[in-house]
Amino acid sequence: EALRGNAVLTTLNLARSNIGDEGAAAIAEALRGNEVLKNLDINEIGDEGAAAFAEALRGNAVLTSLDVGGNSLTEEAAL
């Protein structure tokens, strides 16, 4: 909810946060309505978390930098 209504935060670094796929899905859902976050660094997610971000970001025109390095993603996440 905090990300959805955020009007100030432009960078969010969740590297080494160990949020997993469930946390990634929650953040991805919040990004659907976010209009100011430009930079997101997130790791320690799997294919399900990556898929949640891919779906959520289809309609996001604000986020310009997404760092998903350091994840154990398979080819399935790229599809």
Side-chain angles (χ1 to χ4, degrees):
E1 290 298 316
L3 278 177
R4 193 177 304 256
N6 168 54
V8 179
L9 186 70
T10 60
T11 299
L12 181 59
N13 187 336
L14 296 171
R16 299 182 191 182
S17 62
N18 197 29
I19 63 167
D21 286 337
E22 186 175 322
I27 291 169
E29 181 61 30
L31 287 176
R32 286 183 194 266
N34 183 281
E35 297 178 355
V36 295
L37 189 68
K38 294 181 180 181
N39 305 294
L40 176 62
D41 183 352
I42 186 166
N43 62 18
E44 299 183 22
I45 63 173
D47 289 351
E48 290 180 27
F53 273 107
E55 180 63 30
L57 295 175
R58 285 185 185 168
N60 183 307
V62 179
L63 191 70
T64 58
S65 174
L66 175 62
D67 184 349
V68 292
N71 292 297
S72 299
L73 304 177
T74 68
E75 290 180 13
E76 293 297 315
L79 302 175

